[in-house]
Amino acid sequence: MSATVQPDQPAAASEARSESLPQHNPEPASGASRKLRPKRPNYNEIHAKPLPLDVYALPAFVPHNPISVLRLVTSLISQSLWPPKSHRVVHKAYYSAETKSIHVTDPASIRALWEQGFWGKGSLSRSEPQWLVAEKRRRGAQASKTSTEVTQSRREERRQFKLERAKAQREAIEQQLRQEGKIVSDASIDKLVGSDPEDTSKSVEAAGASTTTKTTNGTVAQAETKASLEIDLPDLEHLQLTPEEAFFLTYVLGAMEVINVDIQTSSNDSQHYPSWYLLRVFCAHASSSGDSTDPEGILTHLRTAHNMSNGATRMDPAISCVPSIAPDNPFLLKYVVFHHFRSLGWVVRPGVKFAVDYLLYIRGPAFTHAEFAIMIIPSYSAPYWNEQADGQSQDRAAEKERRDWWWFHRVNRVQTQVMKTLMLVYVEVPEPWDMRCAELDGFKLDIGSVLKKYTVREFVFKRWSPSRNRD
């Protein structure tokens, strides 16, 4: 008798368990059709160019194929006789001393710089310049969503899904406990865990109410959009570039010019600042931010010396008032690191949001999250800093190099929580090199020789966990 009953017990238990588990329903409970998400933009096509340049690649060379050799020779000859233009458009920018940033106001240049390398940020946006699209949508003149709104809506959908899933699991557990006789039929699981069922249901009801409100508001907004006319709204947003980004675009790529607004020219081509002058201006602003010097006076001396140095054959008294650039200038240290990683193909973005100097992206913010978080630390290991007899240079170097354990633990903890790898980048500070700034030849810097004096060392740190790192 027992042999005939035992096989039926697991079957009955499995049937009861299957009845207690929530059934998968492809249709929503309300019976409404599932809302389709808007088609995602093709970022591979939008950001096809990693830099604002036109690159002309040579044909592939196959040694055993004579046709490939002929194509390669033909391409070399044609590009030598008729060299193609790598800079079809040179973007114009303006330097703002108040915000210590470079502004790009042309809409075509704004889109080109963002789509071809993720340069800068919108002055009225978090990252991508999308203020005009968001403002038109707010006024009911455009139905497309910005990237920030899409992210927020997806977060709300995930939150609603988790609440519904938790409610279904809760009901399944209660039904299972009732069948096992652990709770009475009219009781709830909240009495066992000591929680209030009203507090639990409030979150689900609030989420449902917010979803209904959003759906209603979305329907009204769509109706208003169809009924309203196109609003002619001016674009009040401009692109803000950091000094490091502007200097890289100006000096390395030659894709941008910083216009001199002090000199009015009659021709269409405005006079732009040379790269060596921008280096002195950016270094002057970076040094005056943490010093008691007068930044306005320094900029006045720099502008006067720059205007006097154009076509001058002898030293002008204004040049003698220009301060020299310290080898550990904050702008130089940050630009050396920026130049290093940009040259390796990384997309370097400011890391203020995560309390670091830079963030490194493989292709850009539109494709993946940042892989590494960069902290810049100056290193004074050159013999010059240890051979000074006064001892002031050694004390100054030791103070700037000093980082305690608590600082490192805080930074590493933050980067671990946001799933980023901390990288400490040490920049070797050379001995002072701007000793001839009061002379005419020394005032115009040789940027290439200056950058060769700096070296970069990278150290990657990861938090070791015994439960995850067993090897």
Side-chain angles (χ1 to χ4, degrees):
M1 186 66 180
S2 60
T4 59
V5 174
Q6 285 180 357
D8 295 336
Q9 289 178 354
S14 61
E15 291 177 0
R17 191 179 298 109
S18 62
E19 292 176 358
S20 62
L21 292 177
Q23 300 295 328
H24 176 69
N25 187 9
E27 295 294 333
S30 59
S33 60
R34 186 175 181 180
K35 184 179 179 181
L36 297 178
R37 290 183 178 179
K39 187 178 180 181
R40 187 178 182 181
N42 188 2
Y43 292 114
N44 292 321
E45 182 179 354
I46 296 175
H47 304 281
K49 292 183 178 180
L51 294 174
L53 300 173
D54 291 334
V55 181
Y56 301 90
L58 294 175
F61 173 67
V62 182
H64 60 273
N65 188 359
I67 299 179
S68 65
V69 179
L70 182 61
R71 292 178 57 191
L72 181 61
V73 173
T74 305
S75 180
L76 287 174
I77 294 175
S78 62
Q79 292 187 11
S80 300
L81 297 178
W82 302 281
K85 293 183 179 180
S86 59
H87 300 75
R88 295 185 180 181
V89 178
V90 178
H91 306 287
K92 308 295 182 181
Y94 306 91
Y95 179 67
S96 174
E98 291 78 10
T99 60
K100 297 182 181 180
S101 61
I102 291 81
H103 297 174
V104 180
T105 57
D106 183 26
S109 298
I110 291 175
R111 295 311 309 172
L113 289 175
W114 176 258
E115 293 176 357
Q116 301 173 9
F118 301 96
W119 303 92
K121 66 173 291 293
S123 59
L124 302 177
S125 304
R126 293 181 58 187
S127 181
E128 182 180 358
Q130 291 184 335
W131 175 84
L132 184 61
V133 178
E135 186 66 17
K136 285 184 177 181
R137 176 174 174 79
R138 188 181 68 85
R139 298 191 181 189
Q142 188 169 345
S144 61
K145 288 186 177 181
T146 61
S147 58
T148 306
E149 294 175 343
V150 171
T151 303
Q152 187 65 25
S153 62
R154 289 180 179 176
R155 289 176 180 174
E156 187 63 30
E157 290 177 3
R158 288 195 297 268
R159 178 176 174 273
Q160 178 67 17
F161 170 75
K162 291 179 181 179
L163 290 175
E164 293 178 355
R165 182 180 60 184
K167 182 180 179 181
Q169 292 176 354
R170 185 187 188 87
E171 293 175 353
I173 294 174
E174 289 181 358
Q175 186 176 357
Q176 181 70 21
L177 292 177
R178 290 192 188 96
Q179 292 179 357
E180 294 177 358
K182 294 183 179 180
I183 59 175
V184 296
S185 59
D186 57 346
S188 176
I189 193 176
D190 299 309
K191 296 181 179 180
L192 298 178
V193 298
S195 60
D196 190 2
E198 296 182 358
D199 297 338
T200 309
S201 60
K202 282 181 181 179
S203 58
V204 180
E205 293 176 358
S210 62
T211 306
T212 307
T213 305
K214 286 189 175 183
T215 306
T216 306
N217 294 338
T219 306
V220 174
Q222 290 179 2
E224 292 178 355
T225 302
K226 294 179 181 179
S228 62
L229 299 176
E230 186 71 20
I231 299 177
D232 188 10
L233 186 66
D235 192 359
L236 304 179
E237 188 176 29
H238 61 269
L239 189 70
Q240 284 184 345
L241 297 173
T242 61
E244 295 80 18
E245 292 175 330
F247 193 76
F248 191 87
L249 288 170
T250 304
Y251 170 69
V252 179
L253 301 181
M256 192 179 69
E257 294 179 352
V258 181
I259 303 301
N260 186 359
V261 296
D262 298 332
I263 299 178
Q264 300 293 334
T265 58
S266 58
S267 60
N268 295 330
D269 297 333
S270 302
Q271 185 177 358
H272 62 276
Y273 292 116
S275 299
W276 59 267
Y277 177 75
L278 291 177
L279 178 62
R280 288 198 174 275
V281 170
F282 296 155
C283 289
H285 265 294
S287 60
S288 62
S289 60
D291 199 355
S292 60
T293 56
D294 183 17
E296 296 295 334
I298 295 176
L299 289 179
T300 302
H301 291 313
L302 279 174
R303 284 194 294 265
T304 305
H306 172 256
N307 296 332
M308 294 298 179
S309 63
N310 293 331
T313 57
R314 59 183 181 84
M315 186 183 68
D316 191 88
I319 300 179
S320 60
C321 300
V322 176
S324 61
I325 300 176
D328 56 350
N329 187 276
F331 169 76
L332 275 176
L333 298 181
K334 295 188 69 175
Y335 177 74
V336 167
V337 177
F338 183 90
H339 185 108
H340 172 70
F341 287 106
R342 264 290 183 177
S343 302
L344 294 177
W346 292 92
V347 175
V348 186
R349 300 286 297 167
V352 181
K353 183 167 60 174
F354 300 111
V356 292
D357 294 318
Y358 288 123
L359 295 175
L360 298 185
Y361 294 84
I362 294 180
R363 295 185 61 187
F367 298 97
T368 57
H369 291 283
E371 293 287 337
F372 297 96
I374 304 298
M375 287 296 293
I376 303 174
I377 301 177
S379 176
Y380 298 86
S381 59
Y384 171 83
W385 304 104
N386 299 323
E387 295 175 356
Q388 298 298 315
D390 54 359
Q392 296 181 358
S393 300
Q394 298 179 4
D395 297 340
R396 180 169 173 268
E399 182 180 357
K400 290 194 173 185
E401 281 184 332
R402 187 180 299 113
R403 299 290 189 279
D404 56 4
W405 167 253
W406 302 109
W407 171 88
F408 175 75
H409 181 69
R410 288 192 298 267
V411 174
N412 194 25
R413 184 71 174 181
V414 171
Q415 307 315 314
T416 304
Q417 293 296 323
V418 295
M419 304 298 292
K420 290 172 178 48
T421 304
L422 177 62
M423 180 186 298
L424 299 183
V425 179
Y426 290 87
V427 181
E428 296 291 342
V429 180
E431 61 183 23
W433 44 264
D434 194 21
M435 308 303 295
R436 300 174 60 243
C437 62
E439 302 178 5
L440 184 60
D441 296 337
F443 180 67
K444 298 181 179 181
L445 295 172
D446 185 5
I447 303 175
S449 61
V450 170
L451 295 180
K452 289 180 180 178
K453 300 179 183 294
Y454 293 85
T455 56
V456 173
R457 292 183 288 117
E458 308 167 3
F459 290 90
V460 178
F461 291 89
K462 284 189 177 181
R463 185 184 176 201
W464 184 79
S465 177
S467 60
R468 297 182 180 180
N469 306 92
R470 296 182 179 273
D471 297 337

